[in-house]
Amino acid sequence: MCARYTLTRAEKEIEKLFQVQVKDGFEPNYNLAPTQEGLVITADEPGIAQKMHFGLVPHWAEDTKPNISTLNAKSEDVLEKKTYRPLVQHHKTCLVLADGFYEWDKKSGKSIPYRFVLKDRPLFAFAGLWSQWKSRDGAIVYRSFTIMTTAANETVAKVHDPKNRMPVILDKYTEPFWLSKDISTADLLSLCLPYPDEKMEAYRVSTDVNAAATKGVINNRPELMLPLNSQ
């Protein structure tokens, strides 16, 4: 599962690398947690990067209460789930922008956090799906997303052993295909592959990152993503 990630790059860098306009601004997030707003690029509006809530809320839900089961969508059985099947079929795909993500090593009985980054790309995108929920009176519109997952590569599996999963990280070649409305469902899902080990690295960070918030205050500061031995 990918339940926490980072997006700390400046707006201008995001706009340049993805050839988009950042809509409504975005503040760096060093510990982006469920229900918080991430930055996504959708197949419907590929020219903008817009904020949506992490943790998908389907349009038929009673409310926007978060559900841990919709933070990630397992790519191998996504078409078997009523929450995700129509989103795939109707090309409600998105790029979830990030520059790293966290996973926890729990083999010792403790939750020891690691941050994963790409060696060759300071900014990248997870494959995602998005949905729009509206209140019955139409006054509230809540857009949200989930991150696709696949089998973990060796780099991630060393840390995240219990489930052997990792987020689907797209490369520059496959990003346009994930947003294409002309691609078949089978071809779309064929893009959900483990990212190459040789292009990733991981390092341990402080357990301070374990809490998404402390006493109601969001836990979001640059020190959280620093290597443990540099703090």
Side-chain angles (χ1 to χ4, degrees), residues 41-46 91-95 130 178-181:
I41 302 169
T42 69
D44 289 342
E45 299 175 280
H91 297 280
K92 295 300 181 182
T93 54
C94 65
L95 303 179
W130 72 278
W178 187 256
L179 294 185
S180 173
K181 288 181 173 288

Side-chain angles (χ1 to χ4, degrees), residues 57-190:
V57 175
H59 72 90
W60 41 260
E62 289 295 321
D63 53 39
T64 60
K65 184 178 180 180
N67 188 326
I68 192 171
S69 68
T70 60
L71 298 180
N72 297 158
K74 189 176 181 180
S75 59
E76 294 89 339
D77 61 11
V78 71
L79 293 179
E80 300 171 15
K81 307 295 184 181
K82 71 171 185 177
T83 299
Y84 305 125
R85 183 173 60 251
L87 301 180
V88 175
Q89 293 173 334
H90 294 287
H91 297 280
K92 295 300 181 182
T93 54
C94 65
L95 303 179
V96 181
L97 307 189
D99 54 22
F101 65 97
Y102 300 108
E103 293 291 1
W104 281 260
D105 185 344
K106 299 181 180 180
K107 294 187 289 293
S108 67
K110 299 180 180 180
S111 294
I112 301 173
Y114 286 77
R115 183 169 183 253
F116 294 82
V117 296
L118 304 191
K119 295 178 180 179
D120 58 338
R121 299 176 65 193
L123 183 64
F124 57 88
F126 301 124
L129 301 173
W130 72 278
S131 182
Q132 178 171 286
W133 178 93
K134 287 185 179 182
S135 58
R136 292 182 180 179
D137 61 5
I140 301 174
V141 176
Y142 188 93
R143 287 186 164 189
S144 59
F145 65 90
T146 186
I147 295 172
M148 303 289 287
T149 67
T150 187
N153 60 22
E154 290 185 11
T155 303
V156 177
K158 287 177 182 178
V159 173
H160 199 44
D161 183 58
K163 293 182 182 293
N164 287 317
R165 304 294 296 173
M166 70 176 294
V168 174
I169 301 172
L170 300 167
D171 58 32
K172 293 302 293 183
Y173 174 77
T174 55
E175 285 170 358
F177 288 101
W178 187 256
L179 294 185
S180 173
K181 288 181 173 288
D182 298 321
I183 192 171
S184 70
T185 298
D187 287 341
L188 181 72
L189 294 178
S190 73

Side-chain angles (χ1 to χ4, degrees), residues 2-21:
C2 178
R4 215 83 65 78
Y5 68 96
T6 63
L7 179 57
T8 67
R9 299 288 164 168
E11 277 189 32
K12 288 184 178 180
E13 184 176 1
I14 292 171
E15 291 179 332
K16 181 179 180 180
L17 289 177
F18 284 92
Q19 294 296 295
V20 293
Q21 179 183 359

